[in-house]
């Protein structure tokens, strides 16, 4: 069997740049919520490629559609109209109640486009040094601008000078945002994740979302909600801001939109839809036919297979089982999140759980040092959720005992 050792082992391929702390597992293939490594060991996948594989692996409806598309056309230039772009954009507009979409290939690109939209929104109004409100513990990507917007010093270390023009505030504190922007005529936008992912599964309260929406309206700022990780059906709504009954002006998406095929999108409402003019923004791969087909089919399958309801049902089942099994365990601070985006916050760092769970046949991640993150494929069943709990709970108890917490 494949022994799992400590992370940060030297890369097995000396030619791939060493940018990730990887586990020594070489993956081979997957089916549904299962993944196999090259030695034939199977794993239950509660990570879904970090909230990407929304339909699980090798979905029987997605695979033939993608094969069909590869046989027709993978890529062409944005010098021409790509009908699938209009098809996917129309669907995203219908689902979001917003108006227009720009396509790209990753989350950071979607966020980069959002930041450019905000700056140009300000510049068009005569604000020559626009500033954007961002959040503590936020994660928006690793380009220079998006890592500057990110609220994690570890991500920024070594990459200064950072991009200027960001004002940082804590989450869920409307007084803090009012105070930080008091009398500042340069503010153009507020930018946050509806549920912070990398920062430790920290949801924005529904009340807070409504208050920020009202503040943006009052001050003529753009409300920009990064739903790259928490969007696309994961919380039981297409987009988690819907739980608060609001609509943003700008919504970057990526990850789960293409079920694994690289795709990003910036959805804009009327206040932001006309800001970019021809020549203002673009990307070679954005909107290519393969990615567009993946997006169209992902949404179609999510609708056909009732995955909104499944995310609620299995998410509630998983949360309830974790709460029951961990009820009187000292060292469990909180179980947070919504639908199939859950975090178990421990009172001690728990990075070891990442490798130990893999050794036990369960893929997940640990984020913000002490939060076990579960973002499985949205096709997960309640039986599979029970299996997650059966593997994970003893590992948590063992780790807490080792650390003298329990
Ligand atoms: C909320 C959020 N925004 C942006 C990104 C960056 O996306 P990508 O890695 O596709 O650039 C991530 C990635 O984890 C994310 O979680």
């Amino acid at each position: 069997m494949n022994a799992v050792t400590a992370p940060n082992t030297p890369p097995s391929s000396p030619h791939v740049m060493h940018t990730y702390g990887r586990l020594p597992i070489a993956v081979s293939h997957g089916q549904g919520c299962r993944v196999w490594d090259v030695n034939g060991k199977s794993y239950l996948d509660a990570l879904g490629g970090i909230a990407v594989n929304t339909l699980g692996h090798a979905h029987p409806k997605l695979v033939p559609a993608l094969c069909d598309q590869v046989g027709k056309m993978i890529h062409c230039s944005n010098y021409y109209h790509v009908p699938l772009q209009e098809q996917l954009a129309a669907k995203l507009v219908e689902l979001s109640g917003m108006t227009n979409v720009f396509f790209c290939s990753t989350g950071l690109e979607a966020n980069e486009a959002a930041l450019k939209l905000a700056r140009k929104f300000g510049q068009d109004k005569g604000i020559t040094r626009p500033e954007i409100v961002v959040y503590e513990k936020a994660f928006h990507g690793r380009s220079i601008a998006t890592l500057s917007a990110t609220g994690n010093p570890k991500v920024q270390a070594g990459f200064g000078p950072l991009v200027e023009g960001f004002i940082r505030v804590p989450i869920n504190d409307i007084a803090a945002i009012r105070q930080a922007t008091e009398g500042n005529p340069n503010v153009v936008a507020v930018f946050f994740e509806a549920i912070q992912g990398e920062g430790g599964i920290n949801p924005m309260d529904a009340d807070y979302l409504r208050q920020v929406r009202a503040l943006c309206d009052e001050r003529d700022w753009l409300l920009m909600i990064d739903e790259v990780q928490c969007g696309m059906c994961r919380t039981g709504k297409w987009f988690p801001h819907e739980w608060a009954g609001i609509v943003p002006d700008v919504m970057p998406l990526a990850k789960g939109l293409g079920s694994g095929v690289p795709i990003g999108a910036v959805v804009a409402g009327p206040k932001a839809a006309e800001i970019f003019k021809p020549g203002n923004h673009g990307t070679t791969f954005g909107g290519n036919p393969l990615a567009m087909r993946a997006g169209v089919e992902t949404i179609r399958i999510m609708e056909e297979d009732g995955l909104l309801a499944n995310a609620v049902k299995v998410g509630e089942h998983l949360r309830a089982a974790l709460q029951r099994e961990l009820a009187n365990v000292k060292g469990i601070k909180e179980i947070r999140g919504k639908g199939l985006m859950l975090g178990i916050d421990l009172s001690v760092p728990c990075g070891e759980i990442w490798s130990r769970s893999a050794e036990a046949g369960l893929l997940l991640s640990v984020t913000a040092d002490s939060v076990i993150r579960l973002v499985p494929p949205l096709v997960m069943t309640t039986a599979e959720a029970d299996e997650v709990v059966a593997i994970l709970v003893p590992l948590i108890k063992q780790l807490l005992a080792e650390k003298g917490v329990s």
Side-chain angles (χ1 to χ4, degrees):
M1 269 301 133
N2 204 18
V4 174
T5 54
N8 292 317
T9 49
S12 54
S13 164
H15 300 111
V16 175
M17 209 181 271
H18 192 193
T19 56
Y20 303 101
R22 300 181 199 258
L23 293 177
I25 295 170
V27 292
S28 160
H29 61 283
Q31 183 70 59
C33 288
R34 305 267 163 201
V35 170
W36 283 265
D37 71 16
V38 293
N39 298 321
K41 174 172 173 168
S42 87
Y43 304 82
L44 181 59
D45 187 1
L47 183 62
I50 319 182
V52 168
N53 298 307
T54 34
L55 300 181
H57 303 276
H59 192 287
K61 293 180 185 169
L62 183 65
V63 171
L66 292 181
C67 290
D68 173 64
Q69 188 58 46
V70 167
K72 284 180 177 152
M73 180 177 269
I74 297 172
H75 176 80
C76 78
S77 157
N78 280 307
Y79 284 166
Y80 313 101
H81 287 276
V82 178
L84 280 162
Q85 285 184 10
E86 185 50 38
Q87 204 180 326
L88 181 55
K91 193 68 200 176
L92 288 171
V93 162
E94 176 200 319
L95 297 178
S96 66
M98 297 165 79
T99 54
N100 290 78
V101 186
F102 172 84
F103 289 111
C104 51
S105 308
T106 65
L108 82 78
E109 273 186 272
N111 286 336
E112 191 81 27
L115 295 173
K116 281 181 72 175
L117 275 175
R119 282 195 167 187
K120 188 149 189 306
F121 173 73
Q123 297 276 356
D124 289 349
K125 290 200 289 183
I127 298 173
T128 53
R129 298 190 70 78
E131 294 180 43
I132 299 168
V133 176
V134 292
Y135 285 70
E136 292 170 4
K137 298 186 186 170
F139 183 84
H140 297 297
R142 290 174 180 272
S143 66
I144 293 293
T146 57
L147 74 80
S148 301
T150 287
N152 179 349
K154 281 192 205 159
V155 173
Q156 297 169 335
F159 297 107
L162 300 182
V163 170
E164 60 182 42
F166 293 112
I167 301 168
R168 198 166 301 282
V169 298
I171 68 166
N172 290 326
D173 184 346
I174 197 71
I177 187 172
R178 283 185 178 279
Q179 197 183 348
T181 57
E182 182 82 49
N184 183 344
N186 294 327
V187 179
V188 291
V190 180
F191 182 42
F192 57 78
E193 301 150 83
I195 303 174
Q196 291 182 334
E198 303 305 301
I201 315 293
N202 307 313
M204 296 285 176
D205 297 339
D207 269 351
Y208 181 74
L209 287 175
R210 287 189 282 269
Q211 286 168 329
V212 177
R213 174 70 274 179
L215 191 64
C216 288
D217 291 340
E218 181 191 310
R219 308 265 173 100
D220 193 29
W221 300 340
L222 293 179
L223 175 58
M224 310 203 300
I225 309 189
D226 174 351
E227 306 205 356
V228 164
Q229 185 165 154
C230 55
M232 292 316 298
C233 196
R234 180 158 295 284
T235 66
K237 296 273 188 198
W238 287 105
F239 311 111
H241 64 257
E242 290 174 60
W243 289 103
I246 60 158
V247 182
D249 300 307
V250 178
M251 175 175 63
L253 298 172
K255 287 190 183 275
L257 176 57
S259 294
V261 176
I263 184 169
V266 187
V267 189
K271 213 161 143 184
E274 313 255 310
I275 294 173
F276 283 159
K277 306 281 186 256
N280 283 157
H281 198 56
T283 167
T284 301
F285 289 114
N288 80 55
L290 179 62
M292 296 300 95
R293 183 77 183 268
V296 166
E297 299 292 343
T298 294
I299 295 174
R300 182 180 65 79
I301 296 165
M302 283 173 168
E303 285 182 325
E304 261 179 34
D305 292 3
L307 294 190
L308 280 173
N310 196 61
V312 172
K313 182 180 89 179
V314 180
E316 280 172 6
H317 182 89
L318 181 56
R319 180 200 278 261
L322 288 167
Q323 262 157 354
R324 190 175 58 244
E325 297 298 322
L326 295 169
N328 296 313
V329 177
K330 247 174 84 185
I332 305 294
K333 274 169 60 184
E334 196 180 9
I335 300 174
R336 296 190 286 268
K338 209 158 185 65
L340 284 171
M341 182 171 187
L342 294 176
I344 308 164
D345 192 357
L346 271 51
S347 62
V348 288
C350 61
E352 300 93 324
I353 292 281
W354 177 45
S355 52
R356 289 182 186 181
S357 64
E359 197 163 8
L362 173 66
L363 304 183
L364 48 70
S365 78
V366 171
T367 189
D369 293 334
S370 64
V371 181
I372 299 166
R373 169 173 50 181
L374 303 173
V375 281
L378 306 180
V379 295
M380 182 167 264
T381 62
T382 50
E384 287 165 335
D386 288 339
E387 219 181 304
V388 171
V389 176
I391 298 173
L392 182 55
V393 165
L395 295 175
I396 295 175
K397 288 182 179 168
Q398 183 198 339
L399 184 92
L400 289 172
E402 280 170 20
K403 299 207 169 188
V405 181
S406 59

